[in-house]
């Protein structure tokens, strides 16, 4: 039985990066809203939503048209694992979209996206890796990111809807996400710090997402809900601060590695790099609000505008590079080389 076409294999290898683009754009929307740029936040949210819908339609059509080809797809080395990573990234992207819609007051839509992400999460989470115990690139943190994305959205909706049970469920997801991060870190190939093409930044990006989840859990508490006692709140506060410090330290190390070992060639995996910057900015802004640390506002806003500039650069490159595959037959001709 013939395997998938070159164009299908090409897309499958880029599916995690495509969903990472949605995740990055949605993260920018949340960060811009926290910084007080409501108009720009809505523009970013609209772009993320449009891209998410395109991915959803594409995925559905390919699933319906695959039929008997699924078995041949499974025989392509690394293809199933790559698509599973894309599914996990899509769960995180869906949760980030829900957080963005909650920020603009669309709580019903945010809740619907939370339900959808929760339905996809266990299916994607259960997919076993296809490469045994081999050391992995930054995408190994996808399980942590999907779980913490759910924690962020759950905590956000708990605050807006005054739902204590949802906040406690988000707290469970938060701790589970940290466990998944430690397990992923044990499998992360540290050589990627010097050799990675962009997705190695997720080692810090997943920490930033975890710090954002912690900040949202702290902010979800109120006199009406009384979610956390003094000890619980102190633990959440300390863990969140540690996560943010580790994120900033990780970003500093990764940035130094980029200067010492330059990787000038642009790669679609740079969406993961921009995501890390955007998520670090968003986490800093959220922690500043949750813990009333004013100087973090300035740091978060600087990182936010750096992220916007990086997003524009990577988006321009992605549009330009996609034209190479717009001409029929060009993918096949390249695949034969």
């Amino acid at each position: 039985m013939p395997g998938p076409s070159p164009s299908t294999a090409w897309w499958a290898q880029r599916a995690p990066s495509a969903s990472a683009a949605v995740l990055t754009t949605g993260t920018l929307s949340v960060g811009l809203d926290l910084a007080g740029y409501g108009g720009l936040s809505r523009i970013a949210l609209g772009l993320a939503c449009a891209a998410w819908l395109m991915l959803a339609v594409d995925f559905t059509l390919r699933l319906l048209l695959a039929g008997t080809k699924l078995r041949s797809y499974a025989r392509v080395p690394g293809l199933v694992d790559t698509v599973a990573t894309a599914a996990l990234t899509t769960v995180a992207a869906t949760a980030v979209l829900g957080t963005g819609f909650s920020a603009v007051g669309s709580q019903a839509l945010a809740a619907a996206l939370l339900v959808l992400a929760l339905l996809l999460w266990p299916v994607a989470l259960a997919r076993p890796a296809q490469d045994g115990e081999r050391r992995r690139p930054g995408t190994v943190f996808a399980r942590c990111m999907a779980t913490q994305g759910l924690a962020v959205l759950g905590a956000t909706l708990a605050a807006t809807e005054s739902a204590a049970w949802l906040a406690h469920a988000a707290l469970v997801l938060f701790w589970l996400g940290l466990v998944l991060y430690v397990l992923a870190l044990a499998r992360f190939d540290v050589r990627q710090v010097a050799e990675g093409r962009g997705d190695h930044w997720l080692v810090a990006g997943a920490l930033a997402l975890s710090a954002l989840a912690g900040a949202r859990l702290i902010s979800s508490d109120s006199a009406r809900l009384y979610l956390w006692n003094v000890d619980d709140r102190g633990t959440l506060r300390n863990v969140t601060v540690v996560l943010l410090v580790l994120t900033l330290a990780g970003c500093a190390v990764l940035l130094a590695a980029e200067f010492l070992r330059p990787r000038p060639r642009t790669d679609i995996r740079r969406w993961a790099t921009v995501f890390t910057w955007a998520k670090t900015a968003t986490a800093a802004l959220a922690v500043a609000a949750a813990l009333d640390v004013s100087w973090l506002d300035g740091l978060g806003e600087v990182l936010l505008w750096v992220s916007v500039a990086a997003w524009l650069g990577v988006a321009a490159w992605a549009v330009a590079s996609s034209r190479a595959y717009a001409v029929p037959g060009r993918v096949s001709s390249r695949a034969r080389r």
Side-chain angles (χ1 to χ4, degrees), residues 240-250:
T240 300
V241 169
V242 169
L243 288 171
L244 183 60
V245 170
L246 290 175
T247 299
L248 295 173

Side-chain angles (χ1 to χ4, degrees), residues 260-284:
L260 294 173
R261 296 288 298 272
R263 283 144 271 186
R265 186 174 66 85
T266 307
D267 193 292
I268 196 169
R269 286 168 287 187
R270 280 301 177 188
W271 279 118
T273 305
V274 183
F275 161 77
T276 297
W277 294 344
K279 187 58 69 179
T280 301
T282 304

Side-chain angles (χ1 to χ4, degrees), residues 108-199:
L109 183 53
L113 288 171
L114 176 60
V115 171
L116 176 60
L118 281 169
L119 290 175
L120 295 173
W121 176 65
V123 177
L125 199 67
R127 168 60 65 183
Q130 302 297 304
D131 54 4
E133 296 302 318
R134 182 173 67 84
R135 289 285 176 168
R136 298 288 308 281
T139 52
V140 73
F141 296 99
R143 284 178 170 84
C144 168
M145 291 166 53
T147 306
Q148 294 292 19
L150 292 173
V152 170
L153 180 52
T156 300
L157 285 173
T160 57
E161 301 297 319
S162 297
W165 68 270
L166 192 53
H168 290 295
L171 180 64
V172 173
L173 289 170
F174 171 72
W175 292 119
L176 176 59
L178 293 183
V179 172
L180 290 172
Y181 182 88
V182 172
L183 294 176
L185 187 62
R187 297 192 62 205
F188 176 61
D189 186 356
V190 294
R191 293 175 299 180
Q192 291 291 309
V193 174
E195 302 170 0
R197 295 293 181 175
D199 59 356

Side-chain angles (χ1 to χ4, degrees), residues 80-106:
V80 173
D81 195 35
T82 300
V83 174
T85 299
L88 285 164
T89 311
T90 301
V91 171
T94 302
V96 167
L97 272 184
T99 304
F101 278 113
S102 178
V104 299
S106 300

Side-chain angles (χ1 to χ4, degrees), residues 4-37:
S5 66
S7 61
T8 301
W10 176 86
W11 170 252
Q13 294 296 333
R14 284 154 179 78
S17 297
S19 52
V22 180
L23 180 59
T24 302
T25 310
T27 297
L28 278 180
S29 174
V30 175
L32 287 166
D33 179 76
L34 284 172
Y37 302 100

